[in-house]
Amino acid sequence: MLLRIPQVLTKEQVSHCRERLASADWIDGRVTAGLGSAKVKKNTQLPEDSAVAVELGDLILTALESNAIFVSAALPSRVFPPLFNRYEVGDGFGAHVDNAIRQGLDAEARIRTDLSCTLFLSAPDEYDGGELTVDDTYGSHSVKLPAGDMVLYPSTSLHAVTPVTRGARIASFFWLQSMVRDDGQRTLLFDFDRSIQALNADHAGHAAIVPLTGIYHNLLRRWAEL
């Protein structure tokens, strides 16, 4: 499942992030790339232990905790601390698949990467190129979202960032381990949950809502890993 989640951050929060990032110290982005990925990656990013990265990462995680679409779609168990990258003219990231396991500075940040997240902090008209391309069974998808919007997709997907030809693309990226590792099962649960919510919105108190909610939780109980 490839899912756009709109307005994860407000305009004010995006502006705050951009102000803090403007004066931050950036390093070679290959520090978080595996051997193969490092050969096709050219960008800069904030050090993982940067005070700015920690501050803004906490801001993003707090926003996600109250985002109903994110929680329903991701069913997060552990979220890797958000990182931040910048692609300038000539920068890009060739086709690659994210590492299966991510180890952060804190030993407890070690996770299985079930889902990858890109939260856009630059508006689309600020740069040319820089599209995130994600391949799945339905073809290749090009993603370039408004600042504050996020895309969520399986970490098993082959993906890339096309070269930037004007301006700069700034984003936060991170991974998460879901309570339900299978993408097909997660997608089914997400669709089921959204359908129940829609039914409740249109027909509050409908007799089918309680048994359907029970089926949802019984499926989650069957598939969840804690």
Side-chain angles (χ1 to χ4, degrees):
M1 173 176 57
L2 186 152
L3 179 68
R4 171 185 173 179
I5 305 178
Q7 299 176 347
V8 170
L9 297 183
T10 65
K11 290 181 180 179
E12 293 74 21
Q13 288 173 321
V14 170
S15 295
H16 173 71
C17 290
R18 293 293 297 273
E19 289 174 8
R20 297 289 285 129
L21 292 170
S23 58
D25 294 323
W26 298 81
I27 60 173
D28 191 325
R30 288 175 291 186
V31 295
T32 55
L35 269 178
S37 295
K39 297 176 182 177
V40 295
K41 183 178 185 181
K42 185 175 186 293
N43 67 5
T44 53
Q45 66 185 55
L46 292 193
E48 218 173 307
D49 58 354
S50 159
V52 175
V54 173
E55 173 200 334
L56 300 185
D58 287 344
L59 183 153
I60 291 170
L61 293 178
T62 299
L64 288 173
E65 285 174 1
S66 59
N67 189 294
I69 297 176
F70 170 77
V71 173
S72 178
L75 295 170
S77 173
R78 299 184 203 170
V79 183
F80 195 88
L83 300 173
F84 298 84
N85 59 19
R86 179 177 63 190
Y87 291 83
E88 298 182 289
V89 174
D91 290 350
F93 199 165
H96 64 285
V97 173
D98 291 333
N99 291 348
I101 305 295
R102 283 283 174 180
Q103 174 68 60
L105 297 175
D106 182 345
E108 294 184 1
R110 184 180 182 184
I111 68 166
R112 181 188 68 240
T113 57
D114 295 323
L115 289 164
S116 298
C117 310
T118 297
L119 173 59
F120 290 79
L121 297 173
S122 296
D125 61 2
E126 291 186 74
Y127 61 100
D128 293 330
E131 292 87 358
L132 171 68
T133 62
V134 182
D135 294 346
D136 63 18
T137 54
Y138 300 102
S140 183
H141 308 273
S142 180
V143 183
K144 188 174 185 179
L145 301 180
D149 287 10
M150 189 176 86
V151 63
L152 185 72
Y153 59 96
S155 300
T156 53
S157 304
L158 186 69
H159 58 283
V161 176
T162 63
V164 170
T165 58
R166 178 187 65 86
R169 172 197 192 267
I170 300 172
S172 175
F173 65 103
F174 50 99
W175 305 269
L176 66 89
Q177 179 172 316
S178 176
M179 290 186 287
V180 177
R181 78 164 70 192
D182 182 84
D183 183 57
Q185 293 172 345
R186 262 196 326 272
T187 301
L188 180 63
L189 287 167
F190 176 64
D191 291 342
F192 201 170
D193 185 32
R194 300 299 284 179
S195 297
I196 293 171
Q197 291 181 40
L199 177 62
N200 193 43
D202 295 339
H203 305 282
H206 193 286
I209 292 174
V210 171
L212 287 173
T213 301
I215 294 170
Y216 170 86
H217 283 285
N218 285 334
L219 288 172
L220 180 58
R221 187 176 291 109
R222 177 182 291 267
W223 292 333
E225 302 172 12
L226 302 181

